[in-house]
Amino acid sequence: MHENILFKRIGTISSPYHTLSDMPIQPIGARDTEGRITLLPKLAEGLSDLQGFSHLILLYHFHNSQGYSLSVTPFLDTQKRGLFATRAPRRPNSIGLSVVELLRVEGTELVIKGIDVLNGTPLLDIKPYVPAFDSPAGPVRTGWLESSAHAAQQHRSDARFTNGDTNRTR
């Protein structure tokens, strides 16, 4: 088993968010926010047939995040929760995920809507969103977020998960 895994940037996500204070905490808070993905030119062929999809799953690197705590006070709560029961950006592997709308493909650039990441975020992968594959069947439980998830639309990020966070353990 390999302890370290190497990922390579496949592109860069551009957004209007240059600081955490303006950035939404989830894509729902950025529903109308347009952004761009600039793919590395050597990967352009991989964009073939993507225009037929309305939504994409983006996997990216939380490039301004270092270290993590296994218990965190998440944005939509006031008590500590287990890290893996949250979407906190400071994680053992700094990987983020967002589902965005694909507006159009322009060469090696994708124009997207609903982006909630900092400008300059390194992109790791793109996958088409397919409801038949990605939407679970039956009832869905959302744990401690059941009563507060609706607040994500208005909530903005803050410094609690930055490198200067005093709760950092690693």
Side-chain angles (χ1 to χ4, degrees):
M1 184 164 146
H2 297 282
E3 184 67 25
N4 294 313
I5 301 168
L6 177 66
F7 289 100
K8 297 176 184 171
R9 170 196 305 252
I10 67 164
T12 302
I13 303 171
S14 299
S15 82
Y17 305 115
H18 296 274
T19 64
L20 291 176
S21 61
D22 286 338
M23 191 181 77
I25 61 165
Q26 294 296 326
I28 188 130
R31 185 175 281 151
D32 296 323
T33 303
E34 286 192 22
R36 285 187 173 266
I37 294 170
T38 304
L39 198 68
L40 295 176
K42 68 182 181 181
L43 302 175
E45 184 181 346
L47 295 176
S48 295
D49 305 310
L50 194 62
Q51 185 66 48
F53 293 90
S54 66
H55 289 78
L56 306 174
I57 299 169
L58 305 181
L59 298 172
Y60 48 86
H61 174 58
F62 285 125
H63 62 295
N64 284 348
S65 178
Q66 293 179 348
Y68 64 93
S69 294
L70 294 175
S71 294
V72 300
T73 304
F75 289 119
L76 299 175
D77 205 5
T78 57
Q79 69 182 45
K80 285 198 178 272
R81 303 286 182 175
L83 175 65
F84 301 120
T86 75
R87 293 186 173 203
R90 290 188 49 242
R91 312 183 73 76
N93 291 307
S94 301
I95 297 171
L97 176 148
S98 293
V99 176
V100 299
E101 183 178 353
L102 175 62
L103 299 177
R104 63 188 173 278
V105 177
E106 299 175 346
T108 58
E109 291 197 354
L110 307 177
V111 180
I112 56 175
K113 188 162 87 170
I115 190 63
D116 66 328
V117 302
L118 284 175
N119 187 58
T121 294
L123 181 66
L124 301 177
D125 203 358
I126 302 167
K127 297 180 184 290
Y129 176 82
V130 181
F133 302 164
D134 300 318
S135 296
V140 175
R141 296 184 320 274
T142 59
W144 66 268
L145 277 163
E146 193 74 36
S147 63
S148 60
H150 67 280
Q153 191 167 349
Q154 288 82 31
H155 204 18
R156 293 297 185 249
S157 187
D158 60 29
R160 78 182 74 195
F161 298 113
T162 62
N163 296 341
D165 184 355
T166 57
N167 293 321
R168 186 168 76 202
T169 60
R170 295 204 175 211

